[in-house]
Amino acid sequence: MDPHLLRTYVTVVRLASFSEAARDLGYTQSAVSQHIAALESDLGLPLLTRRPVAPTPAGERLLEHAGALLLRLDAARADLERFTAAPRTTLDVAASPLALTARTVAALPATGVTLHALPRERVPVAVATGEADAGLVDGIAAPSDPLRLPDVAPLSATAVAEEPLAVVLPDHHPLAGRPGLRLDDLVDARWLDAPAAGVPLDRLRAVHGGPAGRGFRPGLRYDGTDTRTLAVLAAAGRGLALLPLSAAQGVPGATAVSLVAPRLVHRTELLVPAGAHPEATGPVAEFAGRLKR
């Protein structure tokens, strides 16, 4: 299966248009049509309906494989290009919002740094494909357990920090006076749906282990990345939020109550390509060394 044809197919589906895909890829519309016809001929199946432009059932199944295949090819190209790349004097870091703490930011070199704030799932992709030299990704896990990261390419992950988790709720909330809270006590509460700024609700459902899709009902949806804004929304009674203890404290009108069960921590990891050696010289090594102090 020709990856160029596959990339054309994915673009046509994404834009639902042959002409738009041609503009996006820099091809003629005729070339795009030929790519799709060649891919359909290779697989012996129709992949697209033409009016409207939409994937057939077989095309839908191909899409389930296409993203991972193309990503892996991009990661392989980026990995091999590192063998001939000149030594870097600057540093590009991709980071999920909650991975940007006072400690991780202080570890960045003083100059020559570009910081990309990305959703959690995009950080490993950015490192694997060479968009970033290193990544900082966060998540919740059992103490000392590594994060479960998507298998996009061989990456080396190193623990940077672990800290307790706390539930953020208004001062006047009936549970605000508790010394600790169990996730079981909060299944039927109203939560803030903030996948970038807080712990995603689907992750809470997964670690709770209850019936699929049940519990932890969302109240207000917050699509921003500012953790303090999330805590302010919790203080205003718009829903509960689960945050690292350091991010949950010090917000007027809000109380941070430690999560005591299940035993979970907020974990931050440094990601670098598996072939990179943190002990070597250069900006990535300098950054990794500062994070270990």
Side-chain angles (χ1 to χ4, degrees), residues 26-91:
Y27 298 151
T28 64
Q29 185 170 338
S30 175
V32 168
S33 296
Q34 289 171 15
H35 282 193
I36 299 301
L39 186 59
E40 290 178 324
S41 176
D42 179 28
L43 296 174
L45 289 165
L47 300 173
L48 289 171
T49 60
R50 268 48 176 184
R51 294 185 181 179
V53 176
T56 64
E60 290 281 7
R61 184 60 59 85
L62 178 59
L63 281 176
E64 295 175 13
H65 298 281
L69 288 170
L70 292 174
L71 175 57
R72 198 74 186 206
L73 287 171
D74 289 342
R77 180 181 295 276
D79 204 15
L80 294 175
E81 286 175 348
R82 294 185 184 100
F83 282 89
T84 57
R88 293 293 302 269
T89 59
T90 58
L91 178 66

Side-chain angles (χ1 to χ4, degrees), residues 137-156:
V137 66
D138 77 285
I140 59 174
S144 301
D145 276 3
L147 296 178
R148 296 178 182 178
L149 300 174
D151 182 21
V152 295
L155 296 177
S156 175

Side-chain angles (χ1 to χ4, degrees), residues 165-287:
L165 288 159
V167 180
V168 186
L169 34 80
D171 287 341
H172 56 77
H173 195 281
L175 300 177
R178 296 273 189 93
L181 288 171
R182 299 166 52 89
L183 211 52
D184 284 348
D185 302 328
L186 306 169
V187 175
D188 296 323
R190 184 178 62 184
W191 287 78
L192 288 164
D193 185 11
V199 176
L201 297 188
D202 59 353
R203 188 74 181 103
L204 290 184
R205 296 185 187 104
V207 298
H208 177 255
R214 294 188 59 187
F216 305 98
R217 57 193 173 96
L220 181 145
R221 168 88 179 189
Y222 174 57
D223 282 328
T225 60
D226 184 69
T227 302
R228 187 170 181 84
T229 298
L230 180 62
V232 168
L233 288 168
R238 303 309 300 268
L240 305 185
L242 186 64
L243 291 172
L245 185 59
S246 62
Q249 296 173 323
V251 177
T255 295
V257 182
S258 296
L259 183 72
V260 295
R263 289 190 65 222
L264 297 170
V265 294
H266 178 259
R267 181 179 173 96
T268 302
E269 294 181 354
L270 170 69
L271 301 182
V272 297
H277 299 287
E279 68 273 12
T281 59
V284 173
E286 179 186 353
F287 182 42

Side-chain angles (χ1 to χ4, degrees), residues 82 88 91-95 114 116 118 123 125-135 271-273 284:
R82 294 185 184 100
R88 293 293 302 269
L91 178 66
D92 281 4
V93 178
T114 301
H116 308 271
L118 299 176
V123 174
V125 173
V127 177
T129 58
E131 296 173 43
D133 304 308
L271 301 182
V272 297
V284 173

